[in-house]
Amino acid sequence: MPVFFHCYDTALGCCGIAWRGQGAIVGSQLPEESAGATRDRMRVRFPTARESDQLPPAVQRAIAGVRRLLAGETADAGELLAVELDESGVPEFKRQVHALTRRIPVGQTLSYGELAARLGQPGAARAVGQAEGSNPFAPIVPCHRVMGSGGLGTGFSAHGGVETKLRLLRIEARAAGQPVGEQTGLFG
């Protein structure tokens, strides 16, 4: 089944999304430094995909959800949780990490260790970190809500690194109704 991709504007810049069929999402991309760089990243990630403006309804809903999230217009993760992901090429452990990560409420965070414990594998914090670092569905799978034991200083694989992660968390904190001055509690 052919794969398609589309790049679209958000409050943070140009994001990308890839799908097959009637809209099973095979990948999502946070903004790169420019729209052209995002498009190039999508072409590298999905070399056989065709760019398309013909968006199935499921893809339109996913894009709308990402736009609202990145604009800070939602305090509810349910909209993106409803997005169907095609994880057929994703190992089972990473699927489990993605499933739990998707359930972290907007404006909240967990550590890799906390996520590992919730998976019933308390010694798997490093494996959780690796799964988050290779997340093919950001921000639909909100890996920015998961921290290393060192907090924000542990890195973030999206363009802009830790600054992008901090920006996403601030947007979400506002959407969840948390005063800016109290956001530090999210990161500790």
Side-chain angles (χ1 to χ4, degrees):
M1 187 174 297
V3 173
F4 300 92
F5 80 91
H6 179 75
C7 294
Y8 58 98
D9 290 328
T10 72
L12 292 184
C14 181
C15 286
I17 193 163
W19 71 94
R20 67 172 47 114
Q22 293 303 305
I25 307 302
V26 296
S28 183
Q29 179 70 42
L30 284 166
E32 292 289 324
E33 63 269 11
S34 68
T38 299
R39 184 168 280 103
D40 290 346
R41 172 73 67 181
M42 293 300 288
R43 288 182 179 130
V44 168
R45 287 184 61 196
F46 305 98
T48 63
R50 293 191 318 247
E51 190 167 7
S52 178
D53 290 328
Q54 302 299 313
L55 309 178
V59 173
Q60 292 176 30
R61 286 189 298 276
I63 289 171
V66 169
R67 281 181 168 147
R68 278 192 282 280
L69 179 73
L70 298 183
E73 295 173 358
T74 181
D76 176 16
E79 183 175 28
L80 289 178
L81 193 54
V83 173
E84 179 188 351
L85 302 179
D86 179 343
E87 293 187 281
S88 57
V90 177
E92 182 58 30
F93 178 78
K94 289 184 179 183
R95 287 182 194 199
Q96 292 172 8
V97 170
H98 293 164
L100 282 178
T101 301
R102 291 180 86 187
R103 287 177 172 72
I104 300 170
V106 172
Q108 294 185 25
T109 62
L110 290 175
S111 71
Y112 298 137
E114 289 169 324
L115 208 55
R118 290 184 184 193
L119 285 168
Q121 300 182 42
R126 182 170 291 191
V128 167
Q130 291 170 345
E132 299 292 6
S134 64
N135 171 18
F137 302 105
I140 296 168
V141 173
C143 55
H144 59 277
R145 296 181 192 151
V146 185
M147 308 291 166
S149 60
L152 282 173
T154 59
F156 189 55
S157 59
H159 173 72
V162 173
E163 288 301 317
T164 297
K165 185 173 197 159
L166 181 57
R167 188 171 181 195
L168 289 166
L169 291 171
R170 283 185 175 149
I171 289 167
E172 289 189 6
R174 283 189 206 99
Q178 299 166 350
V180 174
E182 295 179 14
Q183 290 177 3
T184 56
L186 290 172
F187 312 131

